[in-house]
Structure formats: C-alpha cells, structure tokens
Amino acid sequence: MEKRRLTAVILAAGHGKRMKSPLPKVLHPVAGIPMIARIINVIKKCGAQEIRVVVGVGKDLIQPLVTQLGTISFEQKEQLGTGHALMAADYETLEGDVLVLSGDHPLVRVSELLNAIEEYKNEGAELAVLSCNMKNPGEFGRIVRQKGQLKAIVEAKDASKETLAIKEVNTGIYIISAKLINKFLPELRASNKQNEIYLTDIVSMAVEAGARTIVVPVSLDTAFGVNDQTQLSKATRRIVQRKVKELLESGVMFINPEMVYIEDSVTVGAGSVIYPGVFLKGKTKIGSYCVLEPNCFIMDSEVEDSVQIKLGSYIDGSKIKTRAAIGPYAHIRPECDIGENAKVGNFVELKKVQFGDNAKASHLTYLGDATIGDETNIGCGTITCNYAVDKKKYKTEIGKNVFVGSDTQFVAPVKIGDNAVIGSGSTITKDVPANALAVARGRQIIKEDYNKG
Ligand code: UD1
Ligand code: CA
C-alpha cells in the first residue's frame, strides 16, 4: 500500500493574553525547554514528512526558533480564530493527512499521537478528534454526541447549561484528511459568541456530509493546555515528576522527591543520593554513587561516579571527575575540568581551569584561565590575576606537586614549574622554575617598644 503523506500543523499565532507576560506564550519554557520546541520534538517522532507552524503574535521571536528546529512557518496576520489559523498554513497545498495541534500543549505524549494516527488509518477515517474526560472541563470545547456518535464540538463560551455539563472535551488535536480540510475550511464562518473562525466547526460539517469521523481518548497529560502561569508551573512540575519517578525506579535515592528540580534531559546513575533543593538542568550527566547535597545547582555539566557536591554549590558547563569533592559553597564556572579525587572547597571560584588529579584548593580562592597540575596544593586565599588592564585574559600555568602558600597572587601570564614552592603572601609576577622556592613579599621588620601605649 502506498504510504500517505502526513503533515503536522501547529497553531501558535495566538496572543496568550492570560499569561500576562511579555514573552509570546509558546516560548515560555516548560522544564527548561520552550513549549513549542517540546511539541516539535514530539511531532518529529510521529513520522510527519513536514511540520508547519502558524505564527503571528511574537513571530519575530518564534520564527527563528522554529526554523532552526526544521519546520516551516506561516504568518497569520490577524488572529481570527483556530480555523483561520489553519487557513494561514497554505492549506490548499496540503496532501494526504494532517495532524493539527496547538502550540500550548507541552505534555503531549508521542505514544498517544502514534496510536491515534494508527486508529485513524485502520478505521479509514477522514477526521479523528483526540478527546479526554475531565472532572472539571472548564474552558475546553465539549464533545457533543448523538446516539453515541460524534456530532459536534461546542466551545464552552457558546454552550448551553446541558452542554457545559459534558465531561468529554476536545484536546484541540485532530487528524484530518487534506481533502476534508480543502472542502470545508473555506466554508467556516465566525458565527459564535467570540466572533472567531473556529476550526472545531469542521467536525459538525464533516458529520453532516457523512464523512467517517472518530474520537480517540487520550490522557490528561496530552490534553493539558497552558493558558496562564499556574498551568505553566504545573506543566513544569509534571515533567519533573515524570523524571523523578523514572530515576527512583532506576535506583536513585531522594531524601525528598517533591523538593527537587530535574529536567528530563538529565541523567543520573543508580546509587546516587539527591538531597532537597537540588537543581539539575540541561545536558547534565551525573554518575553513580554521587552525593548531591542540598541546594546545589548544576547545569550542562558532567559529573563522574562517586563525586560529592556539597551544600550550596553552583556548577555550570564543566566536568567533575570521579571521587572529586566540591564545596560547600563552591562556584565552578564554564569550561572547568576537575581531576580525579581533587578537592575544591568552600568559597572557591573557578573559571576555565584544568584542575589536576588529587589537586586541592580547599578555601577562599579564585582561579581563572589556569591549569593546575596533579597533586598541587593551592593555599587559602590564592588568586590568579587573569584580567589585565588591556582588558584581555591571561593564563596561569602551575605544574605538578606545587605547594602554593596561602594568600598568593599570580599575575598572569605566568608559569610555575613542577615541585615549586611559593611562599605565603607572595605576589608572583615572573615564572618560577621547577623545584625552586619563590618568595615575593616585604620582609618582616621588628621595631622594639614601638607602641608606647
Ligand atoms: C481550543 C479549542 C477547544 C479546545 C482547546 C484545547 C477552538 C475554537 N477551540 O480552545 O475546543 O478544547 O483548544 O486546548 O479551536 N491560535 C492561532 N490563531 C488564532 C487563534 C488561536 O494560531 O487566531 C492558536 C493559539 O496560539 C493556540 C491554539 O491556536 O496555540 C488554540 O487557541 P486558543 O485560543 O488557546 O484556543 P482555546 O480557547 O484553548
Ligand atoms: Ca488553549
């Protein structure tokens, strides 16, 4: 059998006024990923040959993102309703079947879309409406049936009291044959309370014309639409809950699973322990047997096995190798690579640092644009002066097994050889050879009986 073409059309031109936000609704992040990107990612797994996105309000911000994600955007100049939005997607050029969705349903499940597409095909339908039963159907359009058969979709704002009592609602997701769209879309009219051209009216038209129509029930997740900030926060919470459940089932331990934020892109190995208040974001990978103490924030970072991240540490765009210990209150900025069994202690800030195996910076230190060799000890209060008056950054290279006394400043660019010793309180401006002692501080002078009191 010839494979029919499947095109997905996402309607995303609306105002999203109820968000009360300057950002277009579909760009609001749900667990770190813009709503519209989540939907596009889901649709990509449904076998659509083409994805069209209808944009309008905030198009200058939305278009670059959706284009980058490989979709084609169409502009709906005036927001005259969902039917009008589909018209804007060059509907005359549609062929085969069309999956229509809204840009504000970020929890849509791939398996349910695939199942609906399958059922639509098996039933030889021309229109499938994805529905859901809700205790509180609120603003959703109601599925009106006659003798059990689909008859129409009626918007809550246009519904009678009896219709409003219906618990079966329209998710706003449909599969419609391009033929049916081309036949009925031009006939849609704005004859309702909102004065909008409703896409939902295509249902009664199709039924009256005797087209084969079906209703496919889906989960509350797929039906979940975001129209305000409360719903946005619920959608994020839902993604995090799904992720935490998956991690609990795979052997990750949580002291309080309700009190963490973990994005679905993150991985955590079995046997790791996560304390309350931990944030794990983006491309973060956490190994096995790690301990993440309260209030750690880790984004786009790789943490190998058996690492301890102590209370209140912030790690961004870095790699922490096995058995290292970080914090409490450490700040690891992008492009750091912390060696095996290394120790980065409290109030230590690192940026673009290669930090060797077994190296230590236990307290109150800033290292930037630096390499620190294996086994080297950085004393308390050490600073690399990497930013010069010419507004350029310079490197500090410290070899292996170096002993850096407390309160040392390295004025970059500067190189310190292996096994060197730096006297406490030094301001190092020149290279130090291997095995040497460098002291660069004022000598102590004693004036007896100076304070006559
Ligand atoms: C719509 C459905 C309703 C369904 C609900 C599910 C209609 C008439 N109603 O209502 O039956 O229960 O979705 O969430 O279709 N949009 C445009 N251009 C427009 C208007 C809307 O692109 O001119 C887009 C919006 O950006 C949004 C989607 O279409 O992504 C749905 O629009 P919205 O106004 O949120 O419709 P609902 O009132 O939620
Ligand atoms: Ca909506």
Side-chain angles (χ1 to χ4, degrees), residues 29 61 119 140 146 183 228 249 294 403 407:
L61 294 170
E119 211 167 304
F140 280 89
Q146 196 171 43
K183 194 163 164 198
D228 57 30
E249 283 166 5
F403 182 91
D407 194 23

Side-chain angles (χ1 to χ4, degrees), residues 63-341:
Q63 224 160 17
L65 173 67
V66 301
T67 306
Q68 189 200 328
L69 292 171
T71 70
I72 311 161
S73 47
F74 295 85
E75 187 181 358
Q76 183 195 22
K77 289 214 168 75
E78 265 183 298
Q79 282 63 57
L80 303 179
T82 46
H84 184 259
L86 185 56
M87 288 177 194
D90 265 6
Y91 73 99
E92 303 91 337
T93 63
L94 291 167
E95 283 171 38
D97 302 306
V98 185
L99 170 66
V100 181
L101 314 94
S102 301
D104 57 358
H105 281 237
L107 304 179
V108 167
R109 291 187 185 166
V110 182
S111 59
E112 292 180 340
L113 292 184
L114 287 171
N115 172 59
I117 294 166
E118 175 99 5
E119 211 167 304
Y120 168 90
K121 284 186 181 157
N122 291 346
E123 295 281 329
E126 285 188 79
L127 171 78
V129 179
L130 277 60
S131 76
C132 185
N133 276 293
M134 287 185 183
K135 271 194 202 130
N136 301 308
E139 297 280 286
F140 280 89
R142 306 298 201 268
I143 305 269
V144 177
R145 291 176 182 264
Q146 196 171 43
K147 293 184 187 149
Q149 295 296 309
L150 176 64
K151 188 173 168 241
I153 294 173
V154 177
E155 288 309 291
K157 290 199 175 87
D158 304 305
S160 65
K161 224 175 148 194
E162 297 84 74
T163 306
L164 274 181
I166 296 172
K167 307 277 187 206
E168 191 186 10
V169 307
N170 169 28
T171 59
I173 306 172
Y174 322 86
I175 305 153
I176 317 175
S177 75
K179 236 195 225 162
L180 206 81
I181 289 176
N182 274 284
K183 194 163 164 198
F184 292 122
L185 216 55
E187 289 182 22
L188 293 177
R189 297 287 174 266
S191 49
N192 49 62
K193 289 238 172 74
Q194 302 195 82
N195 234 342
E196 284 183 7
I197 301 174
Y198 289 167
L199 178 57
T200 44
D201 287 347
I202 204 171
V203 171
S204 52
M205 288 173 167
V207 170
E208 271 163 41
R212 175 114 182 88
T213 61
I214 59 169
V215 179
V216 184
V218 293
S219 64
L220 284 165
D221 274 0
T222 295
F224 192 86
V226 171
N227 294 309
D228 57 30
Q229 297 289 346
T230 305
Q231 288 164 341
L232 179 69
S233 71
K234 279 186 182 157
T236 290
R237 201 61 224 156
R238 186 78 188 106
I239 300 270
V240 172
Q241 274 170 349
R242 279 188 202 166
K243 185 69 197 181
V244 168
K245 182 168 181 281
E246 174 197 313
L247 293 176
L248 283 166
E249 283 166 5
S250 71
V252 176
M253 189 170 147
F254 287 86
I255 307 299
N256 183 344
E258 301 290 310
M259 285 182 65
V260 296
Y261 173 90
I262 303 179
E263 291 178 355
D264 47 353
S265 47
V266 170
T267 62
V268 184
S272 283
V273 182
I274 300 180
Y275 280 71
V278 167
F279 272 66
L280 303 178
K281 288 172 66 67
K283 296 186 196 114
T284 295
K285 286 191 168 75
I286 308 286
S288 292
Y289 311 113
C290 290
V291 178
L292 310 184
E293 290 188 1
N295 303 339
C296 289
F297 186 104
I298 306 175
M299 65 190 281
D300 299 330
S301 294
E302 189 184 342
V303 174
E304 291 185 351
D305 296 345
S306 305
V307 167
Q308 189 176 11
I309 313 281
K310 297 182 195 172
L311 184 98
S313 295
Y314 188 105
I315 301 173
D316 181 8
S318 290
K319 180 170 180 170
I320 318 288
K321 292 197 180 133
T322 182
R323 282 177 290 112
I326 309 293
Y329 305 111
H331 186 182
I332 314 288
R333 292 167 55 196
E335 293 181 55
C336 287
D337 192 322
I338 311 297
E340 280 186 33
N341 203 37

